[in-house]
Amino acid sequence: MTPDLLSSDKVIITAAITGGIHGKEANPHIPISPEEQAQAARACYDAGASVLHLHVRGKDGMNTPDLAVYNKAVRLIGESCPLIRQIGNGIGARLDEQWNIVHPTLEQRLNLLNIDPAPEMHTINAGTFEFRTRYGGITFENPMSFNEAYVRGCRERGFVVEIEVYDLGHIANAREMLDSGVLRPPLHFSIVLGILGGAAATPANLLRMVELLPEGSSWQVVTVGKYHLRTEVLAMAMGGNVRTGMEDTLHYGQGEPVKSNAQLVERMARLAREMGREPATVEEARRMLGLPAGKGA
Ligand code: KMH
Ligand code: ZN
């Protein structure tokens, strides 16, 4: 697919407000409880986001596969604003009492399909790789058979899937699922850059990965770490969508901690407008992502 450099389309801004790894020890402003998440969601909506990417935390502040927490967070977020709710199926990784990294099982991850009230979107992660964090390496297991089961589950329930690709081979995996009919076009991608273990955040990597996407796909960039801002700006200039939020960056500028998720969304909306690209409203994003019109439309 050729990047549309002259695109004047709307930009979908996704807010990834919490993530599944770091907590208040890394930045005290990260929303952890469902109540804090609902407040952050509202502020991100007011600042120009149209999608909310979600991981949840238990009472200990660590990520959890507990459906009761997901149900509460999804419900409270839905009551606070009309953002499209997207569940990150990676859930996250946590340390046990012996400081071993523990990852949720594939079964626990499949169970996210049963969140009630049902959110509109889910991610899949299109390949297994070692995801290295400040806490150590995590083998992020995403076998094809699991992804196929997840996608089928999403289709049965009418959920839209976003495909997270961290490297070139993951795009090949997504193409295989498209060719076999498991995934149906148009596809929606997150190109994730800057994770140790995945592709680095460079212009050449972003351009190549966009070129490899199946024709007609929509895409956003997710940039983790130091090059967050410049890579997001590059993606907007290329006609792509963007994700920001405290899952992806804890710094607003060098040595300057983020004060809130809305602060990051506001900046992205401002930069989009400066480029002549208006942030998509929730209804526009729903149309762009193939979701039915919302209740308020
Ligand atoms: N933490 C991101 C780099 C997911 O939640 O499914 C990847 C992510 C995947 O957001
Ligand atoms: Zn995530």
Side-chain angles (χ1 to χ4, degrees):
M1 193 170 89
T2 321
D4 182 1
L5 291 166
L6 298 177
S7 170
S8 61
D9 294 342
K10 305 282 170 125
V11 183
I12 297 176
I13 302 176
T14 294
I17 58 173
T18 302
I21 302 199
H22 44 248
K24 301 244 188 222
E25 78 293 342
N27 184 313
H29 303 298
I30 192 163
I32 296 290
S33 67
E35 289 80 5
E36 285 175 338
Q37 290 184 314
Q39 257 180 24
R42 177 72 214 191
C44 289
Y45 169 70
D46 291 337
S50 44
V51 179
L52 186 284
H53 174 87
L54 187 69
H55 297 251
V56 301
R57 306 300 181 92
K59 291 254 180 294
D60 59 0
M62 297 275 208
N63 71 77
T64 175
D66 185 350
L67 228 52
V69 187
Y70 274 99
N71 292 348
K72 184 171 181 188
V74 167
R75 179 175 57 77
L76 291 183
I77 291 165
E79 285 168 7
S80 76
C81 66
L83 283 175
I84 298 165
R85 294 157 301 180
Q86 178 193 82
I87 304 301
N89 103 341
I91 298 184
R94 56 187 297 160
L95 298 171
D96 69 11
E97 299 75 40
Q98 279 80 46
W99 294 78
N100 297 312
I101 289 178
V102 187
H103 206 270
T105 63
L106 296 181
E107 209 181 2
Q108 287 171 323
R109 289 166 64 190
L110 259 182
N111 196 31
L112 298 179
L113 293 172
N114 300 317
I115 293 169
D116 179 21
E120 297 80 355
M121 274 183 102
H122 286 252
T123 68
I124 60 162
N125 294 272
T128 296
F129 66 105
E130 191 189 28
F131 184 127
R132 294 199 298 284
T133 72
R134 64 167 77 190
Y135 304 107
I138 301 156
T139 302
F140 191 21
E141 279 188 58
N142 298 290
M144 282 293 260
S145 54
F146 167 72
N147 281 338
E148 286 171 2
Y150 208 94
V151 168
R152 289 203 174 92
C154 283
R155 193 162 54 240
E156 279 161 24
R157 294 164 174 83
F159 304 152
V160 170
V161 173
E162 184 177 272
I163 309 154
E164 320 281 305
V165 292
Y166 301 73
D167 225 323
L168 269 60
H170 299 169
I171 299 175
N173 289 343
R175 280 185 172 274
E176 205 176 304
M177 284 200 273
L178 181 63
D179 292 344
S180 66
V182 174
L183 282 169
R184 299 193 183 157
L187 303 187
H188 306 291
F189 283 90
S190 262
I191 297 177
V192 186
L193 300 176
I195 294 228
L196 287 175
T202 67
N205 283 346
L206 178 59
L207 182 60
R208 186 67 191 128
M209 288 172 81
V210 171
E211 284 170 344
L212 289 174
L213 300 181
E215 202 60 47
S217 304
S218 79
W219 62 276
Q220 70 172 359
V221 77
V222 171
T223 326
V224 177
K226 191 172 166 192
Y227 300 123
H228 178 75
L229 181 59
R230 64 185 76 169
T231 314
E232 306 278 311
V233 169
L234 186 59
M236 286 201 282
M238 288 167 62
N241 299 311
V242 286
R243 181 175 113 175
T244 192
M246 294 176 83
E247 173 165 348
D248 301 335
T249 183
L250 293 169
H251 290 95
Y252 190 79
Q254 241 189 344
E256 189 188 346
V258 171
K259 292 197 187 78
S260 68
N261 279 287
Q263 183 193 25
L264 292 167
V265 172
E266 255 163 37
R267 173 170 67 181
M268 218 51 79
R270 187 172 68 242
L271 290 165
R273 290 191 178 105
E274 290 287 343
M275 289 182 193
R277 299 189 66 199
E278 193 61 29
T281 64
V282 170
E283 282 314 315
E284 287 164 344
R286 291 183 79 99
R287 275 199 295 280
M288 290 159 77
L289 295 167
L291 281 162
K295 288 190 200 89

